[in-house]
Amino acid sequence: MEKALNVPTMAECQAQGKLPEVLFWVGCAGSFDDRAKKITKAFAKLLQASGVSFAVLGAEEGCTGDPAKRSGNEFLFQMQAMMNIEVLNGYGVGQIVTTCPHCFNTLKNEYPGLGGSYQVMHHTQFLKNLMDSGRLKVSGGSFRGKKITYHDPCYLGRANGEYEAPRALLSALESELIEMKRCKTRGLCCGAGGAQMFKEPEKGNKDINIERSEEAIETGASFVATGCPFCNTMMTDGVTAKGAESKVAVMDVAELIAKAADL
Amino acid sequence: MGAWPSLSNVIFALIFGAGVGYFTFNMRRLVALIKKGRPVGPVAHKKERWRNVLYIALGQSKLVKRPVSGLMHVLVYLGFVIINIEVLEIVIDGLFGTHRIFQFIGPAYGVLIGLFEVLAVLVFFAVVIFWLRRNALKLKRFWSPEMSGWPKKDANLILYFEMVLMGLFLMMNASDLSFQQLNQGNWISGSIYSMIQDWPQAQLHLIERICWWTHIVGILGFLNYLYFSKHLHILLAFPNVYYGRVTPAGQFENLDSVTEQVKLMMDPAADPYAAQPEGTVPEKFGASDVTDLTQVQLLNAMTCTECGRCTSECPANQTGKLLSPRKIMMDTRDRLMALPKEGESKQLLDDYISRDELWACTTCNACVEACPVSIDPVSIIMAMRQYLVMEQSAAPSELNVTMSNIENNAAPWPFNQQDRGNWINE
């Protein structure tokens, strides 16, 4: 067991009469998926290293309702949304950062209509701001000169128009950023969106994550960077299925920066 | 010039009146069909919408993202619009028995017609290339299953129409003796004329008249063909872009009817046994037929010109799944057009769009991004999923498990909500 992180919950903060700068919305994958938990920790360490005061909801956090909504279950989505909004408004939360583009999209775009308006940022946007303001130092470390390709999560890219923040962070790693043929507005989905993560794909001649992983491997990059825990799972599975896991590592942008800084 | 009106003026007026009249009749039918959808209420962001019309519709900014077909499309579009200024002159000439009435503007007339002629040639060759791309190069997106039969024939007919119309325009100018003798603006037709100038005058005049008449009748025919064709996009692209999405693509609409119910459920003061007020009809959730869709979604369907850029970008389609966003739009249109005939004997779900197609979507918005005229196939897929889940409880079984997990422990997997913070100390 590594050294425990000292991350407070909102309830603890409130008991001490403190309101943190930002709420870190961890999300279901970030809380429970073993691979995604590493992304959560890497990001928490980066926040701590930058001196950001933040807290999590812990047991008071619940699924945003994104997979329910995209499955067509608007009831369940709105139930989840209203319960979360009650908690968030109760703490007077103003700013939210999350490592999941699905949570990011739902909180940012679909909660305001139900009474929950916050300033919501994806962690790559937040980290870029920290870097630009000098609070976070990003340097290459072991990634200097390494080839990295970036996979655009649909719910960060096309859904919300953010293509540059993750790329700016990767460039600051002094790495060689290689684009896949299908990138940015034309980026190919990893196959997990729209609640596909939780079901078997429909019948076809190939799985989408294989198609995307092949494209990533073709670039010759040693690292596939993502900004989404679900893309991470899909790409990791795809790279493994192609037997390329010894040559290509799938990592979140936050993990790369944290590792470069030896956090 | 004989006395006005001559027999040919009367015949022209009748043909012209019939052409415009039948077109108007069909446009009213079209509006009535679109109004079968749910109203959308007043639209916000008017300034941004007009900006979109300017850039996306008029400026074709999204079309040129694929430079080859995009630039050729701009050419055909500009050519066709500009050359149709000539139609105004033809109509005036036809109704009043004049000949090239606009010649009174002087040398500028020659420049104008010369420009039309150059455009006509460019349009002609662009259309030939379009035909080759479709039929000889067999680009994948033109050979999907939904493109067999009428859609394929329709696409080629449009191209033939345009080739013939451009050819007639040039021939009409080439055989017009007085125009050729003036030698102003016959930039292209002059060289055709040099090949036929030795023909008897009467014969040239006959050719000119035949071309003139076939050209204008062809244009009226083309106008009336629109309603029955995917080519309707030349009109509907503009309103469709205006009504297109101006919010982030990831923002899916929250159903107000559900909000009411959820608020009631969460309100401790609400009486769970209270009877619904008399006469209230419970609202249907989601869409099983075109009448459940919004008017904007139906306008989307009528606007689609089957270019297939959506389908070629769709991750599900690229990996061999049944889903094709273009087919979603075509099915919606076909069902809407058949609505008066089929009535309720059929519906959009199952009779047109299968459940396998709906469940293959990753909601990645690649299709929405790719559409040059702001059509949103994802919104229709979502509305139909909502019907399947909320009205029929017919989600794929794994998703039912996911949803009951969210309901029971606020995560898509069966983990205890109390353990959400465990990662901190692991």
Side-chain angles (χ1 to χ4, degrees):
Chain A
M1 202 177 103
E2 48 183 313
K3 206 177 103 223
L5 291 162
N6 189 18
V7 176
T9 61
M10 285 302 281
E12 288 161 6
C13 286
Q14 198 182 43
Q16 293 164 9
K18 286 189 296 196
L19 194 65
E21 202 180 321
V22 61
L23 168 73
F24 174 18
W25 184 276
V26 182
C28 300
S31 301
F32 295 123
D33 181 272
D34 283 337
R35 177 67 190 86
K37 277 194 251 182
K38 293 183 180 164
I39 303 171
T40 309
K41 286 186 188 177
F43 180 61
K45 286 176 188 168
L46 289 172
L47 288 177
Q48 288 175 339
S50 314
V52 175
S53 75
F54 70 99
V56 297
L57 282 173
E60 288 186 282
E61 187 186 280
C63 173
T64 58
D66 161 85
K69 189 176 179 81
R70 267 101 197 137
S71 297
N73 195 336
E74 183 74 8
F75 267 102
L76 184 51
F77 159 68
Q78 292 201 12
M79 291 285 284
Q80 289 301 120
M82 286 193 199
M83 285 192 285
N84 284 322
I85 288 168
E86 227 164 83
V87 173
L88 291 166
N89 289 353
Y91 284 119
V93 169
Q95 206 186 164
I96 302 177
V97 63
T98 174
T99 44
C100 173
H102 296 266
C103 297
F104 164 70
N105 176 70
T106 307
L107 291 166
K108 174 176 167 282
N109 295 322
E110 289 161 1
Y111 276 29
L114 300 169
S117 293
Y118 321 99
Q119 194 202 334
V120 188
M121 292 176 99
H122 185 248
H123 69 303
T124 57
Q125 297 174 319
F126 197 82
L127 289 173
K128 182 175 179 289
N129 284 357
L130 289 176
M131 178 176 79
D132 290 347
S133 62
R135 287 171 81 180
L136 173 70
K137 290 242 174 317
V138 182
S139 63
S142 56
F143 298 107
R144 194 167 289 131
K146 290 272 165 60
K147 289 181 178 171
I148 301 182
T149 190
Y150 174 69
H151 164 80
D152 287 284
C154 303
Y155 275 85
L156 183 62
R158 264 191 302 273
N160 289 292
E162 183 58 82
Y163 305 102
E164 290 315 316
R167 287 180 169 81
L169 291 166
L170 293 174
S171 304
L173 281 176
E174 299 157 77
S175 59
E176 190 190 331
L177 183 60
I178 318 170
E179 294 291 357
M180 287 182 256
K181 210 167 64 202
R182 290 171 283 195
C183 65
K184 298 184 185 173
T185 54
R186 292 183 78 174
L188 185 76
C189 174
C190 72
Q196 296 291 341
M197 183 73 197
F198 307 103
K199 63 185 267 295
E200 284 303 310
E202 302 304 303
K203 222 172 85 199
N205 51 32
K206 200 178 197 178
D207 283 343
I208 296 171
N209 66 327
I210 302 291
E211 170 86 7
R212 187 53 163 171
S213 300
E214 283 172 356
E215 195 176 1
I217 295 166
E218 265 170 39
T219 63
S222 330
F223 296 93
V224 178
T226 68
C228 171
F230 299 110
C231 295
N232 194 307
T233 304
M234 295 304 265
M235 296 302 283
T236 305
D237 288 354
V239 166
T240 310
K242 298 304 288 182
E245 69 270 30
S246 57
K247 287 180 292 179
V248 184
V250 181
M251 288 174 83
D252 192 272
V253 176
E255 288 181 302
L256 291 167
I257 298 170
K259 193 160 179 225
D262 273 329
L263 289 174
Chain B
M1 203 168 75
W4 183 82
S6 72
L7 180 63
S8 67
N9 299 146
V10 175
I11 293 173
F12 183 89
L14 287 175
I15 293 176
F16 184 68
V20 173
Y22 190 53
F23 175 71
T24 314
F25 169 73
N26 278 329
M27 287 306 105
R28 282 161 172 265
R29 269 166 76 186
L30 177 71
V31 172
L33 278 178
I34 289 173
K35 285 199 168 156
K36 300 241 183 236
R38 291 192 291 110
V40 282
V43 289
H45 311 287
K46 291 218 165 76
K47 216 169 135 190
E48 210 181 334
R49 291 178 187 280
W50 281 113
R51 214 184 131 262
N52 285 347
V53 171
L54 199 64
Y55 285 89
I56 300 175
L58 271 168
Q60 310 203 346
S61 58
K62 290 181 91 176
L63 257 156
V64 292
K65 289 203 170 161
R66 294 195 186 182
V68 177
S69 57
L71 288 171
M72 284 200 305
H73 185 276
V74 171
L75 184 71
V76 172
Y77 162 74
L78 277 181
F80 219 74
V81 169
I82 294 173
I83 295 165
N84 274 324
I85 299 173
E86 169 75 2
V87 174
L88 189 64
E89 186 184 43
I90 294 178
V91 170
I92 297 174
D93 284 350
L95 288 176
F96 300 102
T98 49
H99 185 67
R100 294 189 182 264
I101 181 101
F102 290 168
Q103 259 171 346
F104 76 88
I105 60 171
Y109 183 79
V111 177
L112 203 62
I113 297 289
L115 190 73
F116 292 168
E117 290 196 349
V118 173
L119 280 170
V121 172
L122 291 174
V123 169
F124 185 88
F125 282 110
V127 170
V128 170
I129 295 170
F130 278 151
W131 186 90
L132 289 171
R133 282 165 60 88
R134 216 169 254 279
N135 298 281
L137 288 178
K138 304 206 171 184
L139 295 187
K140 195 173 166 253
R141 66 183 157 112
F142 300 129
W143 290 81
S144 315
E146 70 264 22
M147 293 310 286
S148 56
W150 169 247
K152 185 171 151 60
K153 202 183 279 177
D154 182 22
N156 281 329
L157 267 175
I158 293 162
L159 296 177
Y160 299 143
F161 246 120
E162 286 171 352
M163 286 184 220
V164 169
L165 287 177
M166 293 302 117
L168 286 170
F169 174 70
L170 289 171
M171 259 329 274
M172 172 182 98
N173 286 356
S175 53
D176 187 335
L177 200 60
S178 64
F179 174 69
Q180 291 298 337
Q181 280 166 350
L182 204 62
N183 208 18
Q184 277 177 355
N186 55 344
W187 301 351
I188 306 287
S189 64
S191 41
I192 308 176
Y193 172 68
S194 66
M195 287 184 275
I196 55 172
Q197 58 184 340
D198 300 331
W199 294 10
Q201 267 195 32
Q203 203 173 329
L204 284 182
H205 182 69
L206 184 68
I207 295 173
E208 193 270 339
R209 282 293 89 193
I210 291 173
C211 290
W212 188 92
W213 278 97
T214 336
H215 181 247
I216 187 64
V217 170
I219 283 174
L220 288 171
F222 200 32
L223 183 73
N224 279 286
Y225 178 68
L226 294 182
Y227 177 72
F228 306 95
S229 160
K230 67 169 192 128
H231 210 49
L232 207 44
H233 80 290
I234 63 170
L235 303 173
L236 296 188
F238 300 94
N240 196 68
V241 166
Y242 180 83
Y243 285 106
R245 168 185 282 286
V246 285
T247 46
Q251 180 180 337
F252 292 7
E253 193 202 345
N254 294 331
L255 288 189
D256 291 338
S257 48
V258 170
T259 311
E260 279 167 40
Q261 308 248 350
V262 171
K263 278 195 172 143
L264 209 63
M265 275 195 279
M266 293 182 73
D267 179 8
D271 175 8
Y273 302 108
Q276 286 278 322
E278 195 113 359
T280 46
V281 185
E283 194 159 345
K284 178 175 174 179
F285 299 119
S288 61
D289 206 352
V290 286
T291 45
D292 303 322
L293 296 172
T294 68
Q295 294 177 357
V296 171
Q297 287 170 322
L298 298 185
L299 175 63
N300 274 192
M302 298 306 298
T303 303
C304 176
T305 195
E306 303 166 10
C307 74
R309 291 184 185 207
C310 51
T311 294
S312 72
E313 300 274 321
C314 173
N317 191 275
Q318 287 178 51
T319 53
K321 276 87 176 169
L322 273 179
L323 176 63
S324 161
R326 168 173 56 191
K327 182 180 171 291
I328 300 286
M329 302 319 298
M330 292 167 71
D331 285 341
T332 306
R333 176 200 61 204
D334 291 348
R335 165 63 183 147
L336 182 62
M337 295 287 274
L339 190 62
K341 201 176 71 198
E342 290 173 355
E344 288 180 11
S345 68
K346 282 189 176 181
Q347 61 167 10
L348 186 60
L349 179 68
D350 297 335
D351 293 323
Y352 284 82
I353 298 174
S354 69
R355 297 167 189 223
D356 287 357
E357 293 167 63
L358 298 173
W359 290 116
C361 176
T362 69
T363 69
C364 77
N365 269 306
C367 54
V368 177
E369 178 71 36
C371 181
V373 291
S374 309
I375 292 170
D376 183 356
V378 179
S379 70
I380 295 180
I381 295 172
M382 280 312 306
M384 296 184 75
R385 280 189 183 181
Q386 284 171 342
Y387 174 81
L388 284 174
V389 172
M390 291 193 283
E391 294 281 347
Q392 297 211 317
S393 302
S397 58
E398 308 107 299
L399 285 187
N400 281 331
V401 174
T402 305
M403 290 189 282
S404 61
N405 283 331
I406 295 175
E407 238 175 298
N408 295 331
N409 49 270
W413 303 288
F415 292 107
N416 193 325
Q417 191 172 8
Q418 291 307 313
D419 295 340
R420 272 187 107 94
N422 286 5
W423 63 271
I424 300 170
N425 298 312
E426 273 172 7

